[in-house]
């Protein structure tokens, strides 16, 4: 059974850093691209970042470029999101998700974790 | 960047009815659209990719259509368990932008 379990969330002050982790099991982690998607309270889904199966390619939404870094450790089957210079507008539940690959790119996210809450506030 | 606009924002449908919701891309995206269902308190679930391909295990009452800039998700014979938010997403090319969602309520 595919499982994705996020951790590392919490309350953090604006301008500070936080690192999220996503432990994967039930599939060959090193064969899949992975992503982070967030959802602010009572709002819709917002794609944050995607990383290729081997970590060689990364993609970010404009509002987090230069502040967030997606990475992975295939030996540990773990996905990470390093979040620096956090802002109040980064407050959200952060989901990790497995990416479906087809003919050269990502065509959806087929398994999702339960999410971890990040609150940026003084 | 491409903007994905969904309509309507919400709709209320009776069990057994057919419902269609819309997703409009600000630029031609071909068939590079996915649809997700998110029930209250749950994580999203992938329903459709490449605009009309039903993902594994998705009931055949869910049908996706469209090409270019205009896309639809149709649910035939709506069931009570279909009450949820539905989101479209641009796929294949970054940024993988989501639409703002359509809330489906069951009367």
């Amino acid at each position: 059974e595919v499982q994705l379990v996020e951790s590392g969330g919490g309350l953090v002050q604006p301008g500070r850093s936080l690192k999220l982790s996503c432990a994967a099991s039930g599939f060959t982690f090193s064969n899949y691209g992975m992503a982070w998607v967030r959802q602010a309270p009572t709002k819709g889904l917002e794609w944050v970042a995607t990383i290729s199966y081997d970590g060689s390619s990364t993609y970010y939404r404009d509002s987090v470029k230069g502040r967030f870094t997606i990475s992975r450790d295939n030996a540990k089957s773990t996905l990470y999101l390093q979040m620096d210079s956090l802002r109040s507008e980064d407050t959200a539940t952060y989901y990790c998700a497995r990416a479906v690959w087809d003919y050269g790119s990502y065509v959806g996210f087929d398994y999702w974790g339960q999410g971890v809450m990040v609150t940026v506030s003084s | 960047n491409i903007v994905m606009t969904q309509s309507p924002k919400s709709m209320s449908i009776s069990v057994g009815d057919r419902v269609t919701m819309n997703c409009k891309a600000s630029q031609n995206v071909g068939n590079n659209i996915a649809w997700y269902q998110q029930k209250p308190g749950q994580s999203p679930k992938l329903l459709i990719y490449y605009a009309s391909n039903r993902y594994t295990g998705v009931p055949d009452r869910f049908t996706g259509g469209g090409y270019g800039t205009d896309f639809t998700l149709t649910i035939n014979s709506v069931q009570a368990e279909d009450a949820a938010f539905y989101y479209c997403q641009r796929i294949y090319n970054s940024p993988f932008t989501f639409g703002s969602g359509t809330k489906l309520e069951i009367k």
Side-chain angles (χ1 to χ4, degrees), chain A residues 42-85:
Chain A
T42 72
K43 301 297 184 183
L45 302 173
E46 189 171 82
W47 169 75
V48 175
T50 296
I51 187 168
S52 61
Y53 70 99
D54 61 356
S56 62
S57 297
T58 56
Y59 312 87
Y60 298 92
R61 67 179 298 106
D62 285 348
S63 63
V64 307
K65 280 180 187 174
R67 299 190 301 122
F68 289 13
T69 303
I70 188 172
S71 62
R72 63 191 298 157
D73 185 335
N74 284 346
K76 295 182 178 179
S77 295
T78 302
L79 176 72
Y80 302 101
L81 185 67
Q82 175 68 43
M83 303 184 293
D84 299 324
S85 302

Side-chain angles (χ1 to χ4, degrees), chain A residues 37 39 43-47 50 59-60 62 95 98 100 102-115, chain B residues 1 33-34 36 38 41-46 48-50 55 87 89 91-100:
Chain A
V37 177
Q39 187 169 34
K43 301 297 184 183
L45 302 173
E46 189 171 82
W47 169 75
T50 296
Y59 312 87
Y60 298 92
D62 285 348
Y95 295 98
R98 190 178 81 169
V100 180
D102 188 67
Y103 290 109
S105 192
Y106 301 106
V107 298
F109 304 137
D110 63 347
Y111 284 93
W112 297 62
Q114 283 304 301
Chain B
N1 282 340
I33 289 292
Y36 297 83
Q38 186 180 29
Q42 296 186 17
S43 303
K45 293 182 179 178
L46 177 63
I48 301 284
Y49 63 101
Y50 283 147
Y55 186 66
Y87 296 93
Q89 182 195 25
I91 58 173
Y92 206 84
N93 293 298
S94 178
F96 303 108
T97 307
F98 286 93
S100 55

